[in-house]
Each structure stands twice: as C-alpha cells, then as structure tokens.
Amino acid sequence: MSTVQQTLLLTQWQFRRQATMLPLLVVVQVFLAIATILGFGLVIGDPPPEQALYLATGAPTITLVMVGLVMTPQMLSQSRTEGSLDWMRTLPVPRGSFLVSDLLVWTLIALPGMVLGIVTGVLRFDVDLSPAPWLVPAALLVSLTAAAVGYGMASLLKPTLAMLMTQVLVFVILLFTPVSFPADRMPGWLQTAHEWFPFEPMAQLIRSGLAHDTFSMPGRSLVVLLAWCAASVAGATWALRRRA
Amino acid sequence: MGATTVLTVRGLRKRYRGRGGVQANDGIDLEVAAGQVVGLLGHNGAGKTTLVNHVVGLVRPDAGTIHLDGVDAVAQPAEARRRTCIQAQANVPITGLTPRRAIELVGRIRGAERTAVRARTDELLDALDLRPWADTPAEKVSGGIARLTAFAMTVVTPGRLVVLDEPTNDVDPVRRRLLWGQIRALADEGRAVLLVTHNVREAERVVDRLAVLDRGRVLADDTPAGLTAHLQGTLTVEADLSPGAVEAGWRWHPAVREVSGARGREVGTVGAADAAEVVGWAQGEVAAHRLERYALTPASLEDVYVDLVGHEHAPQGETAGVAA
C-alpha cells in the first residue's frame, strides 16, 4: 500500500466523518464568501473600479485563510478533545498524511464558496478578471500554508485556547490585514508587520492570479509566503510526530 | 513457555512533567508471547494507558526498552505501529460512517487488500452478530454496538500484537460471549493479545497470564491459578444483611475473616475446613431474619487483586460502567 493510497483512504475517512455536516458546511462557506463581498460593499458604498477589483479579488483569499486558520484548527481541536486523534495516531500511517488529508477535505469544502465568491464579486462590482494559468497551484499554496499554520496552532496550544485563538484571528484577518483593501490605508507600523506575516503575500498571490493584467506578485512576497509554508508544514509535521 | 515472545518490555520508566510530575511507569517489565492473552489489571491511573502508548510511539520513555516482534519500538515507532493494533478505552467517534464502512476503511488504511478486507469484515460482522446494524448510520447505534464496531475496526487487519482496552464495556451479555470467543481466536491464530482491564472477574476466565499494575509498577505476574494458589483452601463468603442488622450489632461467625463491607453487603473469607460450620451458622442467621441471603464461592482473582492493590482501589464489578 503506497503512502498516496493511504492518504486518500484517510481523506475518505475524514470526509465521510463530516458527511452529515457537509451540506451545511458548504452552505456556510458559500454564505461567508458572498457575505464578505456584499458586506464590504455596504461598508464602503459604491466603490470606484480599482477598489471594487480589490474587494472582488480579496474575498477568495479570505475564504481560504478562514478555512485554513479557523476550520482546520477547530476540527483538529475537536478530534483531540473527543480522543479520536490519539487513536488515529496509533494507525500505521505516515504522520504527514494526517495533515494532507485534513487539508484536502477542507479545500474541497471551501472550493464551492471560493468559486461562488468570485462570481458574486464579478456580478456585484461589474469587474473584469484575467485569470493566470497558475491560479490553481497558487490557491493550493495559500490553502496549504493557511491550513499548516492552523494545524500547528491547534497541535501546540490547548484545545480550548486554540478555539479562542481562531475567534480572534477571524476578527483580525477580516479587519486588520490588507486583503480586501490596499496596505497603504493602514498605519506604517502595521504595514511593516505585514511585510513579515503571510496574509498580505497570500492576498497578493490570489489577486495577481485572478487579475494578472492589473496586479503583479512581488518576488519578495512569494519568498515570504514560501518560507511560511515550509516552516508551518515542518512545524505541523513535527507536532504530529512529537511523543509525549 | 516455549512460545515466541512478541512483546518484551524491560525497565520502562516515564514521568510526566507539568502534570504535577506523575510517575506513570516506574520500572515495568512485561512479556507477551504469541498465542497468549495477557491481562493487564490496574485501577485508573495505574499506568496502563501510558504503557500502551509507549508501545505505539505516542509516548517516549525516560528509560527502558520495548522490543516488538524483533523491532526496537522506541527507536522505530512507525515499525511498531505496523505490528500493533489498538482498541482505545474511549470509543473512536465514527459519526457519518456505518459500522461496516468504518471497519472496511480502517482495514484498508492498515494496508490490507480490498477483497481480503471485505471478507474479513463479513466474517467479523457475523461472528459478533453485528449484521443487523452493519449498515446503520453510526449516530443511531447503541453504545454496545459502537464498542463491538471499535473492536472489529481494531482486528480487521490485526497486527502481531493486539491491545484491547476494556473491550467489553457496554456490550450485552450474549455478544460479550461472542467477543471473548473472538479474542481467544486471535491468540489461537498466533497473535499476542494484551487485554487492559479492571474487570477482574471477566478477565479471569480468558487470560493465560495476568499482570497486576499499581502506581506504575508490576506487582504480580502469573497465571490465574498461580496468583490464587496461596488462597487455595479458602472460600469467599458474601452476605446481604437485613435492614437494621448493622444497627443491631451484627457480627460475622468467628471463623470468618472480614474483608470488606458496604451498604449492608459484607464480604469475608473462611477456611475450607470451617465452611460447613459457617454455612450452618449463616442458615440460622437467615432464619432469624438477620441475613437476606449469603453465598460461598472459591477465592477469586478479585480477592487477590484487592489484597495486592489495597481496598481503596477496589476494582469495578461485572456491571462496570464507562471508565474515565
């Protein structure tokens, strides 16, 4: 049995475990993605075309980051609390497979919301997108990084604390990261901080992937994002391998 | 013994930091051979779960060695996991799945072929009389059925070592017998079975050997007959007192050594030579309405266990509920 087959079987297990909640989860994802677009539209009013494009291309990033940083740690904390994670860890499965299978499940759940979010943005703000050929791998990179950060957080913190952190993150990411608005609206110190956080690079990557005629991806941001991705995957794998 | 040793644990020590510094394992030596069911008895917190978690590499020992089927389990936890399958004390939640689907998926995740897993799943569903529930969504099955499903998930693709932690909890008496039959069958196929429990009475009937664990140490390790040998010629007397008998100053017959008493149920031991006299006396007590009923039984492992670990840790009886 190959590692890939094992990982896919594990994914099937995780996916079916969510089966009863699945329709609801997808609906919530779709709702959140659309609400982000329409909600920000209400806050801002009728935005000028450039700002509208910002909003429409920022929403998918919000969806991916929410899934990775909020849903994944919540799922992991839940399985730690109910004791199923400890049992799963007794199975002869490579430790990294747990991370990959959870990630696959949540990416699949987030996908409809992400796509519908983009469609809503295009319709609501009447913007033209120019998708780059590397949009899909870019979305996967963002998804992987967000989920690995969330995974590491949920593995290292106590379940209750991890749940609380996710609540704080929702608020911070929605309002204080340059995803749905340009970075220059924020105070200088926060801009500097965001040069080292993964959120702005995530937004830039998705934005330039969706409208690469208008936006470009700075090389530095890509390096920051890849560094976060490598570090968080390594951290999450270490956490899964760790012995008490 | 002669049989191949599958699991060898030597001098295993583990102290958990942070949690008030609990010495969970304090120099454990244990062996489980192929074809054997070894019972691991101990109250909550005796170190049973830590021992099991050591074997599959979820806990790293401070000292000691674990060898499993020729592999150093401390150095190669992934290899150890390939050779071990575990039924956890708490049921693994399988909401969203059916018992059949859960058993088959775990069997395949453990590396067996699809057709082999199907056949083995069918065999287990029949053997445990689970077929009526096989395709019922997990959220609609009872605790006992969930427990049996967890057992089947564990042994669908069994390793050389099978660890079962309280497998009979919540299981009805009829299926309980089927379950014991399956556990015995695993050993007869040449696997090593480690049965973690505090249900002494039930374990007595199936195990080949028993290890009693207390405060992270093995207090005794022998066959059930070996453990009870020193009690041969001793009988256990149980008596249910009539209401008001305690207040009236009820006492045992002088030949009976008192062991425990709670809520009007008294337990003591008596030498075989005095048994007839005690029966006569008890009969009189019943006639005088001071006793509701009494019973004499051969000294059991439970008596040995209570003697070893002390009364404050008395094990749960056959109606044991869910353990923490």
Side-chain angles (χ1 to χ4, degrees), chain A residues 1 5-6 9-10 12-13 16-17 19-20 82 84 86-87 89-93 95 242-244, chain B residues 14 57-60 74 77 81-82 86 92-97 101-102 105-106 108-110 139 153:
Chain A
M1 166 101 21
Q5 259 178 303
Q6 260 187 332
L9 285 166
L10 204 57
Q12 198 186 336
W13 174 277
R16 286 185 188 276
R17 285 276 340 265
T20 41
E82 69 184 14
S84 62
D86 266 346
W87 181 76
R89 285 174 73 214
T90 70
L91 294 175
V93 175
R95 310 288 96 173
R242 191 171 49 135
R243 288 190 253 182
Chain B
K14 177 69 185 181
L58 297 186
V59 171
R60 184 190 292 281
V74 179
R81 283 191 281 270
R82 207 160 292 162
I86 290 187
V92 181
I94 54 165
T95 41
L97 299 154
R101 178 92 64 189
L105 261 176
V106 173
R108 295 194 56 213
I109 290 172
R110 290 197 66 92
E139 48 275 27
M153 281 158 59

Side-chain angles (χ1 to χ4, degrees), chain B residues 240-251 261-266 290:
Chain B
D240 290 343
L241 302 191
S242 302
V246 179
E247 292 76 12
W250 183 86
R251 289 275 156 78
R263 279 177 257 130
R265 161 161 278 219
E266 302 289 325
R290 285 191 288 269

Side-chain angles (χ1 to χ4, degrees), chain B residues 2 66 78 107 138 141 147 191 216 231 255 257 270 272 306:
Chain B
I66 304 164
V141 305
R147 198 75 196 131
R191 304 181 193 284
L231 288 180
R257 190 172 73 90
V270 59
V306 172

